[in-house]
C-alpha cells in the first residue's frame, strides 16, 4: 500500500506537469490570417468606398506589442477613375505604398470582448502618435476576430483635398476593419 504523502506528492507533481503543459499551449504570438479593411468617404455629392485585404501583422500577447501593415497599392475602389485619383493624387501609393501601425495593447478583455490598442499610425509618410483604436473580440479555438471602426482625418497626414473636390471627398474617412488573427504555431 502506497503511503498518503506519496500519493499527495504524486498528485501535486501531476498537477504541476499538467499546468505547465497547458501553459505551453497558451496563445502567445498571433499573426494576421485574413483581413478586410474598408475605407468610406461620405461627402455631400458622393460616397466613396474602397477596400483592401492585403494586410500583414503580428501581436504578442505577452509583450503586448502589435504591428500591422496595410498594402495601399492593393486598395480597390470600384470606379476606375476614382481608384486612379485616390492612388495618384491623394494617397500617392507609388511614394507611400504602405500604412503602418505599431503599438501596444492597452486592454485585452475576453469577457467584455473589448480590445484597445494605442500606437503610431503612419500614412502618406506622416506619423500620428498615440493613435487609439478600440475594437471587439470574437474568440474561437485558436483564432481571434477583431472588428473595429474609427476615423482618420486626411489633414492629419498632409493629404490635401482640393476645394473643388471637397463635395466629393470628405476629409474624415471612416475605417471599418475585420482582422482574423491566428496563433503563430
Amino acid at each position: 500500500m502506497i503511503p498518503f504523502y506519496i500519493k499527495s506528492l504524486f498528485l501535486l507533481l501531476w498537477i504541476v506537469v499538467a499546468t505547465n503543459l497547458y501553459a505551453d499551449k497558451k496563445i502567445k504570438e498571433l499573426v494576421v490570417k485574413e483581413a478586410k479593411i474598408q475605407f468610406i468617404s461620405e461627402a455631400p455629392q458622393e460616397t466613396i468606398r474602397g477596400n483592401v485585404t492585403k494586410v500583414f501583422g503580428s501581436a504578442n500577447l505577452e509583450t503586448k506589442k502589435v504591428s500591422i501593415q496595410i498594402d495601399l497599392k492593393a486598395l480597390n475602389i470600384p470606379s476606375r477613375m476614382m481608384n486612379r485619383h485616390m492612388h495618384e493624387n491623394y494617397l500617392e501609393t507609388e511614394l507611400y505604398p504602405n500604412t503602418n501601425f505599431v503599438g501596444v495593447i492597452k486592454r485585452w478583455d475576453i469577457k467584455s470582448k473589448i480590445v484597445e490598442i494605442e500606437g503610431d499610425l503612419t500614412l502618406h509618410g506622416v506619423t500620428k502618435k498615440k493613435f487609439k483604436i478600440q475594437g471587439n473580440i470574437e474568440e474561437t479555438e485558436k483564432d481571434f476576430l477583431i472588428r473595429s471602426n474609427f476615423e482618420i482625418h486626411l489633414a492629419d497626414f498632409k493629404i490635401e483635398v482640393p476645394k473643388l473636390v471637397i463635395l466629393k471627398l470628405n476629409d474624415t474617412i471612416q475605417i471599418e476593419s475585420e482582422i482574423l488573427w491566428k496563433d503563430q504555431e
Side-chain angles (χ1 to χ4, degrees), residues 87 134 154:
H87 284 278
Q134 181 174 328
L154 297 178

Side-chain angles (χ1 to χ4, degrees), residues 101-119:
F101 179 85
V102 178
V104 175
I105 299 169
K106 295 293 188 176
R107 182 175 178 198
W108 180 277
D109 189 343
I110 296 296
K111 287 182 183 175
S112 67
K113 299 184 177 189
I114 293 175
V115 62
E116 294 173 355
I117 56 176
E118 181 179 308

Side-chain angles (χ1 to χ4, degrees), residues 99-101 119-123 126-129 131 152 157:
T99 292
N100 296 301
F101 179 85
D120 298 343
L121 177 65
T122 302
L123 171 66
V126 177
T127 300
K128 182 166 179 163
K129 302 276 186 190
F131 192 84
I152 60 168
F157 299 96

Side-chain angles (χ1 to χ4, degrees), residues 34 50 53 65 73 78 84 87 102-103 108 111-112 115 126 132 137 139 142 151 153 159 172-173 183:
E34 294 175 19
T53 57
K65 292 184 180 180
K73 284 187 167 190
R84 194 180 85 233
H87 284 278
V102 178
W108 180 277
K111 287 182 183 175
S112 67
V115 62
V126 177
K132 295 179 183 179
I137 308 169
E139 182 182 18
K142 284 192 174 183
E151 296 179 344
H153 301 282
I159 300 172
T172 301
I173 305 295
D183 183 14

Side-chain angles (χ1 to χ4, degrees), residues 68-87:
I68 300 170
Q69 181 180 45
I70 301 169
D71 181 352
L72 288 181
K73 284 187 167 190
L75 173 66
N76 182 33
I77 298 171
S79 164
R80 281 183 16 176
M81 186 174 74
M82 278 188 229
N83 199 50
R84 194 180 85 233
H85 284 294
M86 191 61 68
H87 284 278

